[in-house]
Amino acid sequence: MYPLNRLSQIAPQKAKQFFNMGITSVEELAEFFPRKYYDFRTVTPIKNLVAGEIAVVYGKVIRMLVGKSTNTLVIQDADGDCMNITWFHTDYLFKQFRIGEWSYFAGKVSEFQLNWVICNPVMVSKEADNILRIYPIYSKVKGMSDTYLRESIEAAINFLELNQNEPQKDLLAKNLMLIGCIDALREVHAPTSRERYKKARTRVAFETIYHFYAALKAKESLILASEIGPLSESAVTERFINTGLPFALTTGQASVVATIMEEVKAGRRLHSIVSGDVGCGKTVVAIITSVLMAENGFQTAVIAPMLVLAKQHYEEFARMTAGVRIFGRELRIALLTGETRKSERNKIQKQLERQEIDVLIGTHAILSGDIKFSRLGMTIIDEEHKFGVAQKAELEGYDRAGIHHLAMTATPIPRSMAMTIYGGNVAVLPIQTKPKGRKETITRQCFKVEDAFAVIRSEIHMGHQAYIVCPFIETSKDEKFKEVISVAQAEHMLNRFIQSNPGFNPRVKLISGDMKSEEILSNVNLFETGQADILISTSIVEVGVNIPNATTICIMSAGRFGLAALHQLRGRVGRNSLQGYCLLYEQQKNEKLDILCSTTNGFEIAEKDLELRGPGDLMGSRQTGINEIIDLMMARPKLTALVRKALF
Ligand code: ADP
Ligand code: MG
């Protein structure tokens, strides 16, 4: 990197102000990106203003009012409508105006005594060219004017343009069809169009990811030797894939499986994350991997964050691998959770030691000290990000043992990733395909709960099932949560609907936070086996649960959930060829819900989520911290994989 003093125009005292912001190099300055943007491209007539929105108005000064601490211009636009422009505690801009002058004013509109007002406008200009554009807003550099900051950034970019010295990086970017680095920097600082801006962000993200991996590569090799040694057998697994599965693998699944096989056969330590959208079929990858380990004489531990999920995995593993034979016997699978009785637990313990169990599936109960494997070769962690911090430490213990490690995730979560990537070496294996014949889940916001229930009614009449999910919030007197619908309230609302809909008599089961696990499991089981039509629950079903006949999910107080959680919940339906419905019950319009209704693509949602959080967010830059980098990488798994592949 070039030290900041290479820019002759930056005086030492200004360099110090930059230093206080963590900017010490030309590159860091060039990547000091706007915190947010205002779109000032169109003028709004005063009569169309909306309180709380950012707008540009164009008007003629008709009065100038000097108050004790405020200075106000009264302006009138071409339609003859009037409003105020007010400055607090400053008269420097105000004084530049004369009655009768026309000017543009941009800023946040509010209402004051039935009159529109823009207080302390963000931008004022008499020239259209100066103002009618996308306007970047920077974090304040203490002691520095905005103009000085902008000019310095421009100087930094100009300098870099003349001094580009990373040909390998630029060649890779070119191969990935990304736009030029300097163009991208300029676009991010002064966007010209949405499309170009998006491309620029991708390029900037590329820079961050590239530099991250380049640094990592300089430090250590990503390929660690496994203590397991090369595995030689794969015939059983291959036969299982080709003739034992009820379906053909998707290309995404097949390529991840191929990578896994390649790694373990070569004796390299597998330490990877299978990342794929909800419903892409990650479980079967875990199943195949377990079979592969078993036919090589190694045990696999499959750990899920929730009891319901562990149990479901156990059943799915058992069902799918029925008929798989290794060493002249059946594959042996066992389930171990916190619910497992002591005697059963002891038995499992003995069997593990005698290597009479090939695959142990369970919750974090597997991690506790007295559970020992005789030949553990692989841990598979499903929905890894759902594990608590304490359990993470235990997982790490298994991790360090030099055995293979596979994590599965549908959601980008920074903390866990940061640990694994930073501490060790992790490869992301993306599954970008969905099984054939899936229909897009129809998603819509329902402002009236009856509208949602009506869909449930018609789906149940067709023999399908439905989830009703409520946000999980401990009984709380907090005002904020007053309007959040609880499981009990949802049941009440449903009952009212049932009463006014003769002929609609669904069998309803409930799961709430205060229930015992036994009761929860038994209710889920009734739903799973088709003995209940509706399951009302907290977001316990969010992760992983797979009940393909459930076609509808109705999410109560949907605005309370985060976008990622909503997407996960929606993933509970549309898990086979049946049409799925996701109904978001929320009385207020909500941007998150609009996004969810507009797309079912998880990566797109992650991207929109980032946009919602502010465009300056998560683009990456030299100052970006490790967590943000991981977040960024998870938001752009495709790009990350490509860069990583190119570098390692
Ligand atoms: P997730 O990636 O969300 O964990 P699952 O592994 O639970 O998804 O798979 C979702 C559903 O898709 C399951 O019912 C599974 O049996 C089915 N499935 C997985 N792979 C395929 C495939 N290649 N073809 C058809 N169905 C598949
Ligand atoms: Mg899953």
Side-chain angles (χ1 to χ4, degrees), residues 264-509:
V264 299
K265 280 186 154 184
R268 281 188 292 265
R269 183 176 177 223
L270 188 71
H271 193 171
S272 309
I273 290 210
V274 176
S275 129
D277 213 350
V278 269
C280 73
K282 294 181 287 294
T283 311
V284 71
V285 173
I287 296 175
I288 292 168
T289 307
S290 306
V291 172
L292 179 67
M293 293 310 291
E295 80 165 302
N296 283 282
F298 284 99
Q299 295 166 310
T300 301
V302 180
I303 307 171
M306 278 142 114
L307 179 60
V308 172
L309 191 56
K311 190 159 170 280
Q312 216 175 40
H313 277 342
Y314 171 69
E315 280 153 12
E316 195 170 348
F317 270 65
R319 194 173 59 240
M320 287 236 196
T321 60
V324 170
R325 294 182 72 80
I326 52 168
F327 309 122
R329 57 165 175 85
E330 299 258 309
L331 195 73
R332 293 172 303 210
I333 303 175
L335 175 70
L336 182 77
T337 71
E339 298 301 294
T340 308
R341 271 177 289 114
K342 188 118 196 358
S343 56
E344 171 75 6
R345 192 184 163 94
N346 288 340
K347 192 175 124 207
I348 288 176
Q349 178 57 54
K350 286 211 181 74
Q351 288 174 325
L352 280 173
E353 278 164 16
R354 285 194 230 116
Q355 222 193 329
E356 288 168 6
I357 290 174
D358 303 302
V359 187
L360 183 65
I361 300 175
T363 56
H364 62 276
I366 290 183
L367 301 173
S368 75
D370 63 329
I371 296 298
K372 296 208 172 58
F373 295 79
S374 56
R375 267 197 113 193
L376 184 64
M378 164 99 67
T379 50
I380 300 180
I381 315 293
D382 197 27
E383 311 277 358
E384 192 195 34
H385 57 276
K386 285 278 162 185
F387 284 90
V389 177
Q391 294 151 10
K392 269 291 171 39
E394 293 174 289
L395 284 173
E396 283 246 308
Y398 272 87
D399 226 24
R400 269 190 230 105
I403 56 174
H404 298 301
H405 178 81
L406 203 58
M408 315 240 154
T409 183
T411 349
I413 277 283
R415 263 185 65 97
S416 59
M417 283 296 294
M419 299 247 286
T420 27
I421 291 202
Y422 204 49
N425 312 276
V426 104
V428 177
L429 308 176
I431 300 183
Q432 275 145 351
T433 46
K434 284 234 164 137
K436 279 207 196 74
R438 294 284 164 84
K439 296 190 179 72
E440 293 250 308
T441 294
I442 295 173
T443 308
R444 62 170 178 263
Q445 182 175 355
C446 297
F447 297 91
K448 285 191 290 185
V449 79
E450 294 78 24
D451 295 348
F453 289 165
V455 177
I456 293 183
R457 183 187 54 198
S458 74
E459 280 299 298
I460 288 177
H461 278 318
M462 292 168 71
H464 305 147
Q465 292 162 284
Y467 298 98
I468 296 177
V469 181
C470 306
F472 181 74
I473 284 152
E474 311 270 341
T475 18
S476 154
K477 294 194 179 66
D478 196 328
E479 276 298 306
K480 265 198 315 223
F481 299 134
K482 242 182 152 172
E483 285 142 48
V484 171
I485 298 166
S486 67
V487 167
Q489 280 165 321
E491 186 192 25
H492 184 68
M493 292 161 99
L494 180 65
N495 281 339
R496 259 199 323 234
F497 180 82
I498 292 172
Q499 274 155 24
S500 53
N501 280 271
F504 179 46
N505 300 305
R507 298 159 298 172
V508 182
K509 284 289 161 212

Side-chain angles (χ1 to χ4, degrees), residues 594-615:
D594 288 346
I595 291 172
L596 205 74
C597 292
S598 72
T599 176
T600 53
N601 180 317
F603 294 129
E604 215 171 286
I605 287 171
E607 202 156 85
K608 291 256 174 72
D609 195 14
L610 303 180
E611 266 170 45
L612 256 192
R613 283 147 65 176

Side-chain angles (χ1 to χ4, degrees), residues 9 12 23 157 167 190 197 232 294 362 374 533 550 588 606 622 631:
Q9 55 271 73
I23 301 169
I157 298 176
Y197 175 70
S232 53
S374 56
D533 304 304
Q588 250 108 58
R622 305 284 168 134
D631 218 350

